[in-house]
Each structure stands twice: as C-alpha cells, then as structure tokens.
Amino acid sequence: MLLEGKTAVVTGAGSGVGAASAQRFAEEGASVVCADIQFDHAKETARRIEAAGGVAFAVETDVTRERDVAEMIATAADRFGHVDIVFNNVGIPTPRLGAALEDHTFQDFQRLVSVNIGGVFLGCTYAVLQFKRQGSGGVILNTGSVAGLVAWGGAVYAATKGAVHQLTKAVAIEGAPFGIRANALCPAGMPYTGFMAAGGLDNSAETTAKLAESTAANHPLGRPITAEDCAEAAVFLVSDRAANITGVLFPVDGGYVAR
C-alpha cells in the first residue's frame, strides 16, 4: 500500500501505460482519477479498478484544451479533497511511423507539439498550482521517451520528448522549495498499444508478434517493454520511497541507452 491515502490523476488512462499505471496506483491504495479523451475507455479502466476493490472515477479530458485540464485537476480536488500525484502520460506518435523529418507537414509538427508538449505543460502547470494551494507538496510524473535521450530517427517526435524532459527537470528545480517533485518515465520499444495504432499500425496478431520480436532484439535484456513494466516504475517514482528523487529521466528500456 505504497500510495495509501493519496489521490492520483492519470491522463491517457484509457489504455496502455496509463491504464496499467492507474490500476497499479489503485492496487497500492490511491484513489485514482482516470482521464482520457476517449471517455468510454477511461470509464472501463475505472470500472476495472472498482471491480477489484479500488476507488476510481473517469473524466473526459482533451489535454490540449486548457479548460479541460483545469477542470480535471479541480474535479479531483473536489471529489477527494486533495491531489497528490499527477501523471501526465498522454502522447502521440508521428502520424506515419517511420516518416523522416521532411515527410512531416507543418500541421503534423503542430499536432505533435500541441499534444506531446502542450499537454504536459498544462498538466504540470495546473498540478503545481494545486500543490501550492494545498501547501503540502506533490508529485508530477511525465511520460518522456528514450527517443528524447538518444537519436534513433523520428526527429519531430523525438524533439517533443526532448522538450518534455527539459520541462520536467525545470519543474523539478522550481518546485523543490515547495516540496514538489517531478520526474519523467522514458520507455523504449514497446509492443503494440493504442499509441502504435495512432501511428497507423494495425493490431493484427502478425503485427503484434513482429513488433514484440523487433523491440526485444533492440534491448540488451532481450525482452520487449510492456505497459506493466512502466507502471511498476511509475508506482515507485510517485511513492514516498522516491522522496529524494526529482529531476530524473528514468529509462525503462531493457538497457538500450546504456550501450
């Protein structure tokens, strides 16, 4: 029960890392606000949490809309009396996986920036405002990427994740005097998720198997990274066991960036 008595807000909680993390937070005792632009998916995550004996409710949130993000945090505070953890997990890939820099339109660029940077900016901003109002500190976790740590292609996507990393470190320094911690989770090479679907890949058994095989081959440990791997790291980073850890870019990558 590492998160007993805490309230956690998770964006992108309808699938993938967000859903896995929301469920693990609840298992560790947190009351969880499941936020997603796909409201039915968020409600399903909340339903699964409650069916397992946890506490959760869903909110429909578009992280590119400031009003939605402000209402998400305010609703969590009104419902549970306080907010302790905000996990800014929403991100989108390049619209066409494998596209080179020059293959992106300016509209592609603007969309990636709006979601991957803008959503994290808004989530961090309203988390900090809430934490300062409460006067008791809090924890921000952002989803970055190994693509923001090393250059492996995907220039525009990688640039947005690099910005997330820098924003995370800056928030960590600015928030430290107020007891606010901020870290970023940096996954690499995950098998099929809704994130991949947004990049144009299908969810056939053949595609899923190929992705699992190719991603595993890139990792020294030889295994693909799962949403559950990320969720376990997330639990630690938002818990009091990580009370003296802030400004960290935490790879969940099977050793990829250590080579």
Side-chain angles (χ1 to χ4, degrees):
M1 302 297 286
L2 291 177
L3 307 179
E4 188 171 12
K6 297 185 184 296
T7 298
V9 177
V10 181
T11 67
S15 63
V17 173
S21 297
Q23 290 177 78
R24 284 294 293 121
F25 290 178
E27 290 169 359
E28 293 292 345
S31 299
V32 184
V33 177
C34 301
D36 204 296
I37 194 170
Q38 298 187 54
F39 192 34
D40 287 344
H41 292 187
K43 287 191 290 186
E44 176 58 22
T45 299
R47 186 200 65 76
R48 288 199 300 267
I49 289 172
E50 291 185 325
V55 178
F57 78 97
V59 295
E60 185 174 6
T61 304
D62 179 346
V63 299
T64 68
R65 296 180 58 187
E66 184 170 8
R67 180 176 177 178
D68 278 18
V69 176
E71 288 182 352
M72 174 185 74
I73 299 296
T75 299
D78 291 344
R79 182 77 170 251
F80 297 115
H82 55 92
V83 178
D84 306 287
I85 299 160
V86 175
F87 185 6
N88 298 305
N89 168 66
V90 171
I92 59 172
T94 184
R96 297 165 298 282
L97 290 177
L101 171 67
E102 65 272 19
D103 296 327
H104 289 72
T105 67
F106 189 59
Q107 288 72 30
D108 293 337
F109 171 83
Q110 289 178 310
R111 177 63 176 161
L112 283 160
V113 168
S114 177
V115 176
N116 292 357
I117 304 177
V120 174
F121 163 74
L122 290 173
C124 288
T125 297
Y126 282 94
V128 167
L129 289 170
Q130 180 65 33
F131 295 156
K132 286 184 176 181
R133 277 194 296 269
Q134 293 171 176
S136 54
V139 182
I140 295 170
L141 182 61
N142 299 323
T143 294
S145 173
V146 163
L149 298 174
V150 298
W152 63 358
V156 180
Y157 172 78
T160 64
K161 289 303 183 178
V164 168
H165 296 169
Q166 188 59 35
L167 179 62
T168 300
K169 292 190 285 185
V171 171
I173 298 304
E174 290 185 5
F178 304 94
I180 298 169
R181 296 192 295 113
N183 294 296
L185 203 62
C186 302
M190 296 179 65
Y192 193 88
T193 64
F195 177 86
M196 303 296 186
L201 293 181
D202 64 76
N203 64 346
S204 67
E206 182 180 2
T207 297
T208 302
K210 286 182 177 179
L211 278 172
E213 182 180 356
S214 63
T215 55
N218 286 329
H219 301 155
L221 287 179
R223 298 191 299 272
I225 305 304
T226 67
E228 290 72 25
D229 291 330
C230 296
E232 293 299 334
V235 167
F236 169 69
L237 289 170
V238 302
S239 76
D240 290 340
R241 289 189 178 179
N244 213 26
I245 297 175
T246 195
V248 166
L249 309 178
F250 194 100
V252 182
D253 68 346
Y256 183 89
V257 300
R259 291 193 293 190

